[in-house]
Amino acid sequence: AAGDDRFPVIVFAHGYGQMPSNYQALISGLVSEGHVVVAIASAGVAHLVLLPDGRQVLKDDISDALYQASADDIVFAARQTQRLDTTPAHPLAGRLDTRRIAAVGHSLGGAGAVLALTAPQSPLVLAVNLDGDYGGASAEVAPTQPILYLTTTPPELIGSPPAQWRDESNEKRRDTLWQRLSAASRAACRVRMEDTLHSNFLDAALLPPASMPESKRRNRYGPIDGARALLAIS
């Protein structure tokens, strides 16, 4: 309901080759909980970005530089929300709690969210990485702000409890990076979600079972019900 409260802000960053519109269910869940969500499309990272001058920018080849590009765009968007809050006559003026701006991202955007915390004079107070592998500059930082790392099941271990994941090669790598990245954080938490896979954060996880072969669905979204997974994530 409309009121005089200020609302905490989330800058949402998409994964490589994705678009903000691919995460409408997840974003709507965050909005319904009282957040203002600024969902960005990062040039070179997104599938397609239309610039103000009419140019169309397709995604670049995957590289370490894209982690920094994502982080730079997150910080820019966060600073823009501060400007909008003080812009006379703007619909959001006086409604944004600019002391509480978080970054939430999926995949490459999740690693970019953590990297954005360490930018000079970053206005961000915390970051949530949704199943993003750290690469480029994002693998070298150690933010002091709170960070949450939500990860999914190794595909070949679907149906196995998290206690059995530790010997899987990608889990070992993630654990090593997480221990170093989170060492300086005043509140760091890693959560492992059973029966979910990397694509469970996308709207496509809500497609009906008949929309694709069961084997393909399980390889992309795991055995969990798509709506249940997105509810748990948001």
PDB file of all heavy atoms in Angstrom, residues 5-11 30-31 33-38 81 95-102 125:
ATOM      1  N   ASP A   5       6.680   5.766   3.703  1.00  0.00           N
ATOM      2  CA  ASP A   5       7.928   5.095   4.029  1.00  0.00           C
ATOM      3  C   ASP A   5       8.929   5.214   2.888  1.00  0.00           C
ATOM      4  O   ASP A   5       8.586   5.392   1.715  1.00  0.00           O
ATOM      5  CB  ASP A   5       7.680   3.603   4.296  1.00  0.00           C
ATOM      6  CG  ASP A   5       6.835   3.375   5.525  1.00  0.00           C
ATOM      7  OD1 ASP A   5       6.800   4.273   6.389  1.00  0.00           O
ATOM      8  OD2 ASP A   5       6.193   2.321   5.608  1.00  0.00           O
ATOM      9  N   ARG A   6      10.203   5.083   3.265  1.00  0.00           N
ATOM     10  CA  ARG A   6      11.260   4.926   2.270  1.00  0.00           C
ATOM     11  C   ARG A   6      11.516   3.433   2.087  1.00  0.00           C
ATOM     12  O   ARG A   6      11.465   2.660   3.040  1.00  0.00           O
ATOM     13  CB  ARG A   6      12.543   5.625   2.726  1.00  0.00           C
ATOM     14  CG  ARG A   6      12.471   7.146   2.661  1.00  0.00           C
ATOM     15  CD  ARG A   6      13.769   7.779   3.157  1.00  0.00           C
ATOM     16  NE  ARG A   6      13.752   9.219   3.022  1.00  0.00           N
ATOM     17  CZ  ARG A   6      14.238   9.875   1.974  1.00  0.00           C
ATOM     18  NH1 ARG A   6      14.792   9.195   0.987  1.00  0.00           N
ATOM     19  NH2 ARG A   6      14.198  11.188   1.919  1.00  0.00           N
ATOM     20  N   PHE A   7      11.814   3.052   0.868  1.00  0.00           N
ATOM     21  CA  PHE A   7      11.965   1.641   0.543  1.00  0.00           C
ATOM     22  C   PHE A   7      13.420   1.291   0.262  1.00  0.00           C
ATOM     23  O   PHE A   7      14.114   2.031  -0.438  1.00  0.00           O
ATOM     24  CB  PHE A   7      11.105   1.284  -0.678  1.00  0.00           C
ATOM     25  CG  PHE A   7       9.645   1.514  -0.459  1.00  0.00           C
ATOM     26  CD1 PHE A   7       9.034   2.664  -0.919  1.00  0.00           C
ATOM     27  CD2 PHE A   7       8.886   0.574   0.218  1.00  0.00           C
ATOM     28  CE1 PHE A   7       7.679   2.880  -0.715  1.00  0.00           C
ATOM     29  CE2 PHE A   7       7.537   0.775   0.424  1.00  0.00           C
ATOM     30  CZ  PHE A   7       6.929   1.939  -0.038  1.00  0.00           C
ATOM     31  N   PRO A   8      13.887   0.162   0.806  1.00  0.00           N
ATOM     32  CA  PRO A   8      15.254  -0.281   0.484  1.00  0.00           C
ATOM     33  C   PRO A   8      15.359  -0.623  -0.999  1.00  0.00           C
ATOM     34  O   PRO A   8      14.383  -1.015  -1.643  1.00  0.00           O
ATOM     35  CB  PRO A   8      15.438  -1.524   1.359  1.00  0.00           C
ATOM     36  CG  PRO A   8      14.050  -2.006   1.639  1.00  0.00           C
ATOM     37  CD  PRO A   8      13.180  -0.780   1.680  1.00  0.00           C
ATOM     38  N   VAL A   9      16.561  -0.459  -1.543  1.00  0.00           N
ATOM     39  CA  VAL A   9      16.790  -0.591  -2.982  1.00  0.00           C
ATOM     40  C   VAL A   9      17.649  -1.813  -3.270  1.00  0.00           C
ATOM     41  O   VAL A   9      18.631  -2.084  -2.553  1.00  0.00           O
ATOM     42  CB  VAL A   9      17.477   0.670  -3.546  1.00  0.00           C
ATOM     43  CG1 VAL A   9      17.787   0.507  -5.037  1.00  0.00           C
ATOM     44  CG2 VAL A   9      16.618   1.901  -3.309  1.00  0.00           C
ATOM     45  N   ILE A  10      17.282  -2.546  -4.316  1.00  0.00           N
ATOM     46  CA  ILE A  10      18.106  -3.655  -4.818  1.00  0.00           C
ATOM     47  C   ILE A  10      18.459  -3.358  -6.270  1.00  0.00           C
ATOM     48  O   ILE A  10      17.576  -3.101  -7.094  1.00  0.00           O
ATOM     49  CB  ILE A  10      17.364  -5.001  -4.740  1.00  0.00           C
ATOM     50  CG1 ILE A  10      17.155  -5.419  -3.287  1.00  0.00           C
ATOM     51  CG2 ILE A  10      18.133  -6.091  -5.490  1.00  0.00           C
ATOM     52  CD1 ILE A  10      16.293  -6.660  -3.123  1.00  0.00           C
ATOM     53  N   VAL A  11      19.747  -3.381  -6.586  1.00  0.00           N
ATOM     54  CA  VAL A  11      20.181  -3.353  -7.977  1.00  0.00           C
ATOM     55  C   VAL A  11      20.356  -4.804  -8.408  1.00  0.00           C
ATOM     56  O   VAL A  11      21.139  -5.550  -7.816  1.00  0.00           O
ATOM     57  CB  VAL A  11      21.500  -2.581  -8.146  1.00  0.00           C
ATOM     58  CG1 VAL A  11      21.949  -2.603  -9.604  1.00  0.00           C
ATOM     59  CG2 VAL A  11      21.343  -1.139  -7.671  1.00  0.00           C
ATOM     60  N   LEU A  30      10.840 -10.027  -5.058  1.00  0.00           N
ATOM     61  CA  LEU A  30      11.569  -9.043  -4.250  1.00  0.00           C
ATOM     62  C   LEU A  30      10.753  -7.757  -4.089  1.00  0.00           C
ATOM     63  O   LEU A  30      10.721  -7.153  -3.013  1.00  0.00           O
ATOM     64  CB  LEU A  30      12.919  -8.742  -4.892  1.00  0.00           C
ATOM     65  CG  LEU A  30      13.899  -9.921  -4.977  1.00  0.00           C
ATOM     66  CD1 LEU A  30      15.110  -9.548  -5.822  1.00  0.00           C
ATOM     67  CD2 LEU A  30      14.341 -10.359  -3.583  1.00  0.00           C
ATOM     68  N   VAL A  31      10.091  -7.345  -5.160  1.00  0.00           N
ATOM     69  CA  VAL A  31       9.257  -6.136  -5.107  1.00  0.00           C
ATOM     70  C   VAL A  31       8.097  -6.330  -4.129  1.00  0.00           C
ATOM     71  O   VAL A  31       7.766  -5.429  -3.358  1.00  0.00           O
ATOM     72  CB  VAL A  31       8.732  -5.782  -6.508  1.00  0.00           C
ATOM     73  CG1 VAL A  31       7.690  -4.665  -6.434  1.00  0.00           C
ATOM     74  CG2 VAL A  31       9.889  -5.360  -7.417  1.00  0.00           C
ATOM     75  N   GLU A  33       7.981  -7.851  -1.509  1.00  0.00           N
ATOM     76  CA  GLU A  33       8.441  -7.784  -0.119  1.00  0.00           C
ATOM     77  C   GLU A  33       8.817  -6.366   0.299  1.00  0.00           C
ATOM     78  O   GLU A  33       9.330  -6.148   1.398  1.00  0.00           O
ATOM     79  CB  GLU A  33       9.628  -8.721   0.073  1.00  0.00           C
ATOM     80  CG  GLU A  33       9.246 -10.193  -0.090  1.00  0.00           C
ATOM     81  CD  GLU A  33      10.452 -11.112  -0.078  1.00  0.00           C
ATOM     82  OE1 GLU A  33      11.588 -10.602   0.004  1.00  0.00           O
ATOM     83  OE2 GLU A  33      10.253 -12.334  -0.159  1.00  0.00           O
ATOM     84  N   GLY A  34       8.585  -5.387  -0.584  1.00  0.00           N
ATOM     85  CA  GLY A  34       8.788  -3.997  -0.202  1.00  0.00           C
ATOM     86  C   GLY A  34      10.076  -3.375  -0.685  1.00  0.00           C
ATOM     87  O   GLY A  34      10.474  -2.322  -0.173  1.00  0.00           O
ATOM     88  N   HIS A  35      10.740  -4.002  -1.662  1.00  0.00           N
ATOM     89  CA  HIS A  35      11.967  -3.433  -2.209  1.00  0.00           C
ATOM     90  C   HIS A  35      11.693  -2.696  -3.520  1.00  0.00           C
ATOM     91  O   HIS A  35      10.817  -3.092  -4.289  1.00  0.00           O
ATOM     92  CB  HIS A  35      12.998  -4.533  -2.493  1.00  0.00           C
ATOM     93  CG  HIS A  35      13.387  -5.327  -1.294  1.00  0.00           C
ATOM     94  ND1 HIS A  35      12.721  -6.486  -0.920  1.00  0.00           N
ATOM     95  CD2 HIS A  35      14.359  -5.142  -0.372  1.00  0.00           C
ATOM     96  CE1 HIS A  35      13.282  -6.982   0.172  1.00  0.00           C
ATOM     97  NE2 HIS A  35      14.270  -6.182   0.527  1.00  0.00           N
ATOM     98  N   VAL A  36      12.453  -1.658  -3.762  1.00  0.00           N
ATOM     99  CA  VAL A  36      12.525  -1.065  -5.092  1.00  0.00           C
ATOM    100  C   VAL A  36      13.658  -1.773  -5.824  1.00  0.00           C
ATOM    101  O   VAL A  36      14.797  -1.783  -5.358  1.00  0.00           O
ATOM    102  CB  VAL A  36      12.798   0.449  -5.026  1.00  0.00           C
ATOM    103  CG1 VAL A  36      13.101   1.002  -6.418  1.00  0.00           C
ATOM    104  CG2 VAL A  36      11.610   1.182  -4.410  1.00  0.00           C
ATOM    105  N   VAL A  37      13.342  -2.408  -6.951  1.00  0.00           N
ATOM    106  CA  VAL A  37      14.337  -3.178  -7.692  1.00  0.00           C
ATOM    107  C   VAL A  37      14.705  -2.437  -8.973  1.00  0.00           C
ATOM    108  O   VAL A  37      13.839  -2.135  -9.801  1.00  0.00           O
ATOM    109  CB  VAL A  37      13.832  -4.592  -8.029  1.00  0.00           C
ATOM    110  CG1 VAL A  37      14.885  -5.357  -8.836  1.00  0.00           C
ATOM    111  CG2 VAL A  37      13.507  -5.351  -6.736  1.00  0.00           C
ATOM    112  N   VAL A  38      15.985  -2.151  -9.112  1.00  0.00           N
ATOM    113  CA  VAL A  38      16.524  -1.538 -10.318  1.00  0.00           C
ATOM    114  C   VAL A  38      17.215  -2.650 -11.101  1.00  0.00           C
ATOM    115  O   VAL A  38      18.308  -3.089 -10.742  1.00  0.00           O
ATOM    116  CB  VAL A  38      17.527  -0.411  -9.974  1.00  0.00           C
ATOM    117  CG1 VAL A  38      18.065   0.233 -11.252  1.00  0.00           C
ATOM    118  CG2 VAL A  38      16.871   0.627  -9.074  1.00  0.00           C
ATOM    119  N   THR A  81      20.331   5.872  -8.237  1.00  0.00           N
ATOM    120  CA  THR A  81      19.178   5.859  -7.333  1.00  0.00           C
ATOM    121  C   THR A  81      19.327   6.949  -6.269  1.00  0.00           C
ATOM    122  O   THR A  81      18.329   7.550  -5.851  1.00  0.00           O
ATOM    123  CB  THR A  81      18.998   4.496  -6.649  1.00  0.00           C
ATOM    124  OG1 THR A  81      20.120   4.202  -5.820  1.00  0.00           O
ATOM    125  CG2 THR A  81      18.837   3.393  -7.679  1.00  0.00           C
ATOM    126  N   ARG A  95      11.513   8.724  -1.647  1.00  0.00           N
ATOM    127  CA  ARG A  95      10.923   7.415  -1.349  1.00  0.00           C
ATOM    128  C   ARG A  95      11.956   6.302  -1.233  1.00  0.00           C
ATOM    129  O   ARG A  95      11.625   5.175  -0.873  1.00  0.00           O
ATOM    130  CB  ARG A  95       9.912   7.028  -2.441  1.00  0.00           C
ATOM    131  CG  ARG A  95       8.815   8.039  -2.682  1.00  0.00           C
ATOM    132  CD  ARG A  95       8.071   8.414  -1.396  1.00  0.00           C
ATOM    133  NE  ARG A  95       7.561   7.268  -0.689  1.00  0.00           N
ATOM    134  CZ  ARG A  95       6.400   6.673  -0.948  1.00  0.00           C
ATOM    135  NH1 ARG A  95       5.638   7.128  -1.930  1.00  0.00           N
ATOM    136  NH2 ARG A  95       5.998   5.647  -0.251  1.00  0.00           N
ATOM    137  N   LEU A  96      13.205   6.579  -1.566  1.00  0.00           N
ATOM    138  CA  LEU A  96      14.237   5.549  -1.577  1.00  0.00           C
ATOM    139  C   LEU A  96      15.111   5.654  -0.336  1.00  0.00           C
ATOM    140  O   LEU A  96      15.593   6.737   0.006  1.00  0.00           O
ATOM    141  CB  LEU A  96      15.115   5.695  -2.831  1.00  0.00           C
ATOM    142  CG  LEU A  96      14.377   5.670  -4.169  1.00  0.00           C
ATOM    143  CD1 LEU A  96      15.364   5.892  -5.311  1.00  0.00           C
ATOM    144  CD2 LEU A  96      13.626   4.359  -4.347  1.00  0.00           C
ATOM    145  N   ASP A  97      15.314   4.515   0.309  1.00  0.00           N
ATOM    146  CA  ASP A  97      16.228   4.469   1.451  1.00  0.00           C
ATOM    147  C   ASP A  97      17.635   4.220   0.914  1.00  0.00           C
ATOM    148  O   ASP A  97      18.065   3.077   0.773  1.00  0.00           O
ATOM    149  CB  ASP A  97      15.818   3.359   2.425  1.00  0.00           C
ATOM    150  CG  ASP A  97      16.644   3.378   3.704  1.00  0.00           C
ATOM    151  OD1 ASP A  97      17.654   4.110   3.760  1.00  0.00           O
ATOM    152  OD2 ASP A  97      16.273   2.657   4.648  1.00  0.00           O
ATOM    153  N   THR A  98      18.320   5.287   0.593  1.00  0.00           N
ATOM    154  CA  THR A  98      19.632   5.152  -0.048  1.00  0.00           C
ATOM    155  C   THR A  98      20.728   4.741   0.923  1.00  0.00           C
ATOM    156  O   THR A  98      21.875   4.576   0.521  1.00  0.00           O
ATOM    157  CB  THR A  98      20.020   6.463  -0.748  1.00  0.00           C
ATOM    158  OG1 THR A  98      19.980   7.546   0.191  1.00  0.00           O
ATOM    159  CG2 THR A  98      19.065   6.761  -1.894  1.00  0.00           C
ATOM    160  N   ARG A  99      20.368   4.564   2.183  1.00  0.00           N
ATOM    161  CA  ARG A  99      21.322   3.982   3.138  1.00  0.00           C
ATOM    162  C   ARG A  99      21.296   2.463   3.067  1.00  0.00           C
ATOM    163  O   ARG A  99      22.155   1.796   3.659  1.00  0.00           O
ATOM    164  CB  ARG A  99      20.990   4.429   4.561  1.00  0.00           C
ATOM    165  CG  ARG A  99      21.017   5.931   4.791  1.00  0.00           C
ATOM    166  CD  ARG A  99      20.373   6.262   6.114  1.00  0.00           C
ATOM    167  NE  ARG A  99      18.979   5.776   6.142  1.00  0.00           N
ATOM    168  CZ  ARG A  99      18.205   5.817   7.234  1.00  0.00           C
ATOM    169  NH1 ARG A  99      18.693   6.298   8.368  1.00  0.00           N
ATOM    170  NH2 ARG A  99      16.966   5.358   7.192  1.00  0.00           N
ATOM    171  N   ARG A 100      20.299   1.921   2.367  1.00  0.00           N
ATOM    172  CA  ARG A 100      20.156   0.462   2.247  1.00  0.00           C
ATOM    173  C   ARG A 100      20.020   0.091   0.772  1.00  0.00           C
ATOM    174  O   ARG A 100      18.920  -0.146   0.279  1.00  0.00           O
ATOM    175  CB  ARG A 100      18.938  -0.025   3.047  1.00  0.00           C
ATOM    176  CG  ARG A 100      19.080   0.123   4.547  1.00  0.00           C
ATOM    177  CD  ARG A 100      17.947  -0.607   5.260  1.00  0.00           C
ATOM    178  NE  ARG A 100      16.663   0.053   5.036  1.00  0.00           N
ATOM    179  CZ  ARG A 100      15.487  -0.510   5.347  1.00  0.00           C
ATOM    180  NH1 ARG A 100      15.441  -1.740   5.844  1.00  0.00           N
ATOM    181  NH2 ARG A 100      14.373   0.153   5.124  1.00  0.00           N
ATOM    182  N   ILE A 101      21.139   0.075   0.080  1.00  0.00           N
ATOM    183  CA  ILE A 101      21.164  -0.341  -1.325  1.00  0.00           C
ATOM    184  C   ILE A 101      21.976  -1.634  -1.411  1.00  0.00           C
ATOM    185  O   ILE A 101      23.150  -1.671  -1.037  1.00  0.00           O
ATOM    186  CB  ILE A 101      21.792   0.726  -2.236  1.00  0.00           C
ATOM    187  CG1 ILE A 101      21.086   2.076  -2.069  1.00  0.00           C
ATOM    188  CG2 ILE A 101      21.719   0.278  -3.699  1.00  0.00           C
ATOM    189  CD1 ILE A 101      21.695   3.180  -2.911  1.00  0.00           C
ATOM    190  N   ALA A 102      21.334  -2.674  -1.880  1.00  0.00           N
ATOM    191  CA  ALA A 102      21.985  -3.976  -2.020  1.00  0.00           C
ATOM    192  C   ALA A 102      22.153  -4.317  -3.488  1.00  0.00           C
ATOM    193  O   ALA A 102      21.430  -3.811  -4.354  1.00  0.00           O
ATOM    194  CB  ALA A 102      21.162  -5.058  -1.325  1.00  0.00           C
ATOM    195  N   VAL A 125      25.577  -1.766   0.469  1.00  0.00           N
ATOM    196  CA  VAL A 125      25.802  -2.217   1.839  1.00  0.00           C
ATOM    197  C   VAL A 125      25.914  -3.737   1.936  1.00  0.00           C
ATOM    198  O   VAL A 125      26.383  -4.259   2.945  1.00  0.00           O
ATOM    199  CB  VAL A 125      24.696  -1.708   2.789  1.00  0.00           C
ATOM    200  CG1 VAL A 125      24.710  -0.185   2.844  1.00  0.00           C
ATOM    201  CG2 VAL A 125      23.321  -2.222   2.370  1.00  0.00           C
TER     202      VAL A 125
END
